[in-house]
Amino acid sequence: MAVVGLVLMVIVVLALLAGVHRYLWRRLVGDTTAEGSALRRAGTVAAYVLPLLSVGALVSGRAGAPFWLQKVLAWPGYLWLAAVLYLTLALLVGEAVRPVLRRVLARRADRAGRPEGAGTGTDTASADGAFGADPANDVKESEIPSSASAGASGSASASGAPGTLVADAPAPPRTEAPTRRLFVARAVGGAAAVAGLGTVGYGTYGVLRGPRVKRITVPLAKLPRSAHGFRIAVVSDIHLGPILGRDHTRRIVDTINRTQPDLVAVVGDLVDGTVADLGPAAEPLARLRARHGNYFVTGNHEYYSGAAQWVDQVRELGLHPLENARVEIAGFDLAGVNDVAGESEGQGPDFARALGDRDRTRAAVLLAHQPVVIHDAVAHGVDLQLSGHTHGGQLWPGNFIADLANPTGAGLDRYGDTQLYVSRGAGAWGPPVRVGAPSDITVVELASRQA
């Protein structure tokens, strides 16, 4: 039954993608280019090749394809997924603009005294009219033979001879001037392409530039005065993979070190790939500097990439994995739980092991990749949970989905006596693009209410 459901879901997704690509082809290629033209041929080829690259980018990693092939497919394939989203949204807005623009142009033509195209209504120019009269169809009266003029009278037309002269006259050649419909199609399609691709370009720049630093202050009732001002640099969802590699890690490490934190917390989804492929990309993490150390908990993507191997790897890089474990820091307990995706391997979160026997008079800060475990944190008396996973939606309007799927999509929230902070993350999954959800590294400053 589960297999049947999965097959049906795949069929629906493929049908939806096919429909969206058909719509994009029609509006961006079919409506704007001449049949048989080089531009139409190129657009049609792209309409087939680009979605295939996207599918290849999505499945190549899971299928165990060589890492060089994953990198070849990733850039065009993932970027096209983001382009599809914003081109479609821009074109849908254009559907509302299209009839308005046609009416405006029609009124201009009327005010200019140019007649609408007349005819049988079997061609585009007749259906929509042109910007002005087609000069090829403007046959001057002086050019009509006198016999044809005579044929306009009742007696001449009755004989049929003059009428034959007019009917047999060769049709005047049509000009290449675009019709109003073609102009509107090109204007709306061009504007949609600029808006959609421009949005993707700007969102890509934001990811490749690296995350910006956010600073928040979180007061904790149990935090002693001696720990007032303790700063935790929270970084999540780095997503090293076929696109984001060693340079991305270096930018993140340099940004964190400039904040001079007391502690660094890497809260999951560090990688999208194996240690063999991405070990060199993670090496700059060894340069992280914090007075009280660097800590790591797994995210769901670690369990797609060999979590046990990555736990060993980050330990070699100087990070301390907290696998359902707890350590005492100056003035509070720092705990970490495995991600819920680890349940499939018998390595899921164990709150009793991480927090069950602790002294509840001490403040507790929990590292947990997904915000959905907040209710377990509340039950175990956690004062502050630090999470990631949501990316803040990453691609607008994905933020609405993130808010629906998680207790908190991004930022600081409160659940009973427990506060939850969700980072938008420092990288990107899939398309290296962020729109409306900028990447961040957050410096969380703990404040004592006893100070």
Side-chain angles (χ1 to χ4, degrees):
M1 193 68 180
V3 174
V4 174
L6 178 61
V7 170
L8 288 175
M9 183 179 72
V10 169
I11 292 173
V12 169
V13 170
L14 291 177
L16 178 62
L17 285 175
V20 168
H21 279 85
R22 173 63 184 171
Y23 172 70
L24 291 177
W25 180 90
R26 179 187 169 195
R27 286 308 192 201
L28 296 177
V29 180
D31 290 352
T32 62
T33 60
E35 188 172 351
S37 68
L39 281 176
R40 177 168 291 198
R41 287 195 296 270
T44 301
V45 169
Y48 283 98
V49 171
L50 288 171
L52 290 176
L53 290 173
S54 296
V55 172
L58 288 168
V59 304
S60 59
R62 297 290 182 89
F67 193 58
W68 66 264
L69 180 58
Q70 294 180 44
K71 291 195 287 186
V72 167
L73 294 172
W75 273 106
Y78 282 130
L79 284 176
W80 178 242
L81 288 177
V84 165
L85 171 61
Y86 291 109
L87 286 173
T88 302
L89 291 175
L91 285 170
L92 290 175
V93 172
E95 298 297 342
V97 175
R98 193 181 301 269
V100 175
L101 186 55
R102 282 181 181 167
R103 282 195 289 270
V104 169
L105 293 173
R107 288 173 184 169
R108 277 189 186 174
D110 290 343
R111 284 198 298 269
R114 290 177 288 186
E116 298 292 323
T120 62
T122 59
D123 58 88
T124 303
S126 301
D128 285 304
F131 284 107
D134 190 331
N137 291 331
D138 267 347
V139 182
K140 297 180 181 178
E141 186 177 350
S142 61
E143 296 173 350
I144 301 176
S146 58
S147 58
S149 300
S153 66
S155 59
S157 68
S159 66
T164 302
L165 290 174
V166 175
D168 290 343
R174 297 183 59 82
T175 67
E176 297 283 331
T179 64
R180 183 159 62 242
R181 173 178 287 179
L182 182 59
F183 175 83
V184 170
R186 287 177 173 173
V188 173
V194 170
L197 298 180
T199 299
V200 172
Y202 182 77
T204 303
Y205 167 75
V207 172
L208 299 183
R209 175 194 61 194
R212 293 295 184 252
V213 175
K214 265 182 77 174
R215 297 178 184 273
I216 64 168
T217 299
V218 180
L220 300 181
K222 300 175 188 174
L223 191 73
R225 185 178 305 173
S226 60
H228 180 75
F230 192 97
R231 289 172 298 116
I232 303 174
V234 180
V235 58
S236 74
D237 302 279
I238 295 174
H239 284 290
L240 299 178
I243 292 179
L244 300 176
R246 189 182 182 95
D247 289 342
H248 181 60
T249 312
R250 188 182 297 113
R251 283 189 293 269
I252 289 171
V253 169
D254 291 343
T255 301
I256 291 174
N257 286 343
R258 282 195 295 270
T259 68
Q260 298 182 325
D262 296 304
L263 183 146
V264 175
V266 181
V267 288
D269 279 8
L270 171 64
V271 292
D272 285 305
T274 64
V275 171
D277 290 334
L278 296 173
E283 285 176 358
L285 293 173
R287 295 193 294 105
L288 284 171
R289 297 290 178 262
R291 285 194 306 149
H292 292 274
N294 312 308
Y295 293 86
F296 170 82
V297 292
T298 55
N300 53 306
H301 282 248
E302 271 72 58
Y303 291 97
Y304 311 147
S305 306
Q309 291 81 9
W310 275 111
V311 167
D312 291 339
Q313 182 70 10
V314 298
R315 185 180 286 112
E316 290 183 12
L317 295 174
L319 280 74
H320 306 288
L322 289 175
E323 299 181 273
N324 299 320
R326 180 180 76 253
V327 294
E328 291 187 4
I329 306 294
F332 65 94
D333 293 335
L334 179 72
V337 292
N338 296 344
D339 185 70
V340 293
E343 291 174 351
S344 62
E345 302 179 11
Q347 299 293 328
D350 187 337
F351 285 85
R353 180 178 162 193
L355 296 160
D357 60 348
R358 75 178 192 87
D359 180 0
R360 290 205 176 195
T361 63
R362 289 170 56 85
V365 175
L366 173 70
L367 310 183
H369 177 63
Q370 297 195 42
V372 293
V373 301
I374 182 62
H375 302 295
D376 293 291
V378 172
H380 286 83
V382 169
D383 298 276
L384 172 64
Q385 176 178 317
L386 301 174
S387 298
H389 182 65
T390 69
H391 296 210
Q394 185 170 325
L395 297 170
W396 184 93
N399 56 302
F400 298 112
I401 299 174
D403 288 340
L404 289 173
N406 296 276
T408 297
L412 185 65
D413 213 339
R414 177 178 285 277
Y415 295 83
D417 293 330
T418 303
Q419 297 181 77
L420 168 65
Y421 178 75
V422 181
S423 167
R424 291 190 178 94
W429 180 81
V433 182
R434 281 179 171 266
V435 177
S439 57
D440 67 65
I441 292 165
T442 305
V443 176
V444 177
E445 183 171 329
L446 304 182
S448 171
R449 290 180 177 171
Q450 303 172 24

